[in-house]
Amino acid sequence: MSDLLTYAYAVVRNAEGLRETTAPLRGVADSPVSLVTDTGDDQLGLVVSHVPGQDFQEDALKQHLEDLEWLEAVARAHHGVIEALAERTTVLPLRLATVYLDDNRAREVLEGGRTMFAERLTRLSEHVEWGVKIYVEPSAAPAAPAVPAADLTPGRAYLRSRRQQQSVRDTVYQAAQKAAERVEAAGRKHASDRVRHRVQQGLLADAAGAVGENVVNDAYLVPLKRCDDFLADVTHAADGLDGVRVEATGPWAPYSFAMPLDESGGAAAAEGAPP
């Protein structure tokens, strides 16, 4: 049994010049990138490289996924390959750390999903992904006017202060809901689809350098010709709303709208577009 596994990055349309595009690319573990094609449909390809089994076998991979430094290096290489491909052809990104026993197994999965892959690629053609995050920052909202507390005991003054703080927080969260409604309206007007991701908290939020609390973390699939209009509406979604910030990131290859493989032959981890 080989000590190398086949790491898959994406299903692609086998466009003219694609092999030349993949030839100089280096992927995960600094391995050369190549193209596995469908023997029954040479218009479909699976972009792969070979990685050491000692790092990507199931048990080892579970341990590695708890190592943020290792995971970041793999994610950067993975996304780097996909972004390079997306400049040349329509890309159906696969989830991070999708591996197969060998190229033959990868080809079998490609051929078995031929119809689904072709339909999905057609849907994603001429589209990109935009991420939209909404943050609340109660401390950035104007405080309520101070009320003289000369006649209050320290305890009552403290309770009044807490109620005022809570009132500001409630107002900011209501404003965030209004911003979310504006973003959703922009999506209905300009986007083809939306996916809701879990909000970023803890280590994910720290890694992304987030300021404030993330309350919305959505991805939108937007036709290329509608991107400018979509962004114009989204970037104004927090206008007039104190303590609320809307952040749009992209354009990305459509990571959030790719269908995960049912028979990956290996592990799949970490979902969505880059943070």
Side-chain angles (χ1 to χ4, degrees), residues 13-190:
R13 291 240 185 247
N14 191 7
E16 182 178 354
L18 186 60
R19 287 189 182 275
E20 290 74 14
T21 297
T22 59
L25 296 179
R26 310 290 292 192
V28 173
D30 198 36
S31 56
V33 174
S34 60
L35 187 66
V36 171
T37 55
D38 182 341
T39 57
D41 182 358
D42 61 6
Q43 294 304 303
L44 286 179
L46 189 63
V47 179
V48 304
S49 65
H50 299 111
V51 295
Q54 63 185 15
D55 288 330
F56 286 87
Q57 293 285 4
E58 186 174 359
D59 290 342
L61 187 57
K62 286 180 180 178
Q63 295 181 10
H64 278 313
L65 292 178
E66 297 178 0
D67 181 345
L68 290 182
E69 185 175 343
W70 184 92
L71 185 59
E72 181 181 4
V74 171
R76 286 186 182 278
H78 181 94
H79 295 313
V81 170
I82 290 174
E83 292 303 313
L85 296 169
E87 294 180 2
R88 173 70 66 172
T89 186
T90 303
V91 177
L92 181 63
L94 300 182
R95 299 179 71 184
L96 194 70
T98 297
V99 293
Y100 303 92
L101 293 177
D102 51 35
D103 286 3
N104 287 332
R105 176 58 182 145
R107 182 177 286 106
E108 289 174 1
V109 174
L110 179 65
E111 293 174 352
R114 182 183 303 153
T115 300
M116 181 270 291
F117 290 140
E119 292 175 349
R120 200 73 174 174
L121 285 166
T122 296
R123 177 173 177 267
L124 298 179
S125 180
E126 299 297 316
H127 285 72
V128 291
E129 175 175 333
W130 287 93
V132 180
K133 295 182 177 69
I134 299 179
Y135 296 91
V136 294
E137 302 174 60
S139 62
V147 177
D151 298 331
L152 298 179
T153 64
R156 290 175 64 84
Y158 171 78
L159 291 175
R160 173 177 288 180
S161 174
R162 293 290 293 173
R163 284 196 297 268
Q164 289 173 339
Q165 292 174 5
Q166 186 61 49
S167 177
V168 171
R169 288 183 61 84
D170 291 345
T171 299
V172 169
Y173 280 97
Q174 290 170 7
Q177 179 60 40
K178 188 170 185 177
E181 291 169 358
R182 292 175 179 175
V183 170
E184 291 173 9
R188 288 192 297 270
K189 185 177 180 181
H190 304 296

Side-chain angles (χ1 to χ4, degrees), residues 179-269:
E181 291 169 358
R182 292 175 179 175
V183 170
E184 291 173 9
R188 288 192 297 270
K189 185 177 180 181
H190 304 296
S192 300
D193 201 356
R194 178 186 70 172
V195 168
R196 282 189 160 169
H197 294 306
R198 288 174 293 180
V199 296
Q200 292 185 327
Q201 298 176 323
L203 291 176
L204 281 176
D206 293 341
V211 177
E213 179 187 353
N214 181 212
V215 294
V216 170
N217 183 16
D218 290 349
Y220 286 87
L221 184 66
V222 184
L224 289 173
K225 61 184 179 182
R226 303 301 295 271
C227 285
D228 288 346
D229 292 334
F230 175 76
L231 286 177
D233 287 351
V234 166
T235 54
H236 289 291
D239 286 0
L241 302 174
D242 293 322
V244 178
R245 178 167 54 89
V246 177
E247 179 183 286
T249 58
W252 311 110
Y255 297 93
S256 300
F257 302 90
M259 184 179 299
L261 301 183
D262 291 330
E263 299 181 33
S264 64

